[in-house]
Amino acid sequence: MVLLICVPGPVLAESCFAPSRPFVPSDSQAVRDYADIIRGDFEDYIQDIQSYFRCLDSERARAFEEAREVSDDYARFLQMVGN
C-alpha cells in the first residue's frame, strides 16, 4: 500500500500587530503645546488601524482557504483508509 502525502511548500501566516493607542496628556496646557504631535499621532493611528484591519481580513481569508484544503486532504485520507 502506498501512502501519498502531499506536503505543500511552507505557508507562513501573516502576523498582524495592532497599533498602540495615541497618548493624550491629561494636562490641557501640554495638549495645546503638543497639539501638532498629538494630531499626527492620531492620524498615524487611523492609517495604521486601517492597515491592521486589512491584515486581519487577509489572514482570515488565508486561514479559511487552508482549513478548506485540510478538510479536502482529510476526505482523501478517509477514502484511502476505507472510511
Side-chain angles (χ1 to χ4, degrees):
M1 179 174 177
V2 177
L3 179 60
L4 177 62
I5 300 177
C6 295
V7 180
V11 177
L12 300 176
E14 189 171 351
S15 296
C16 303
F17 298 102
S20 299
R21 292 178 65 143
F23 173 74
V24 179
S26 57
D27 177 36
S28 61
Q29 183 60 47
V31 169
R32 284 189 294 279
D33 291 345
Y34 299 103
D36 290 337
I37 294 171
I38 296 168
R39 184 177 296 109
D41 288 348
F42 274 100
E43 291 169 1
D44 289 345
Y45 175 85
I46 291 167
Q47 288 178 343
D48 291 345
I49 199 72
Q50 289 171 347
S51 294
Y52 175 65
F53 290 146
R54 285 190 296 274
C55 179
L56 290 175
D57 289 343
S58 175
E59 176 56 18
R60 182 177 185 269
R62 186 209 62 78
F64 270 105
E65 178 62 21
E66 180 181 278
R68 186 195 60 75
E69 291 170 359
V70 169
S71 178
D72 292 346
D73 291 345
Y74 187 52
R76 281 191 295 280
F77 164 76
L78 291 176
Q79 286 178 341
M80 290 174 72
V81 297
N83 287 343

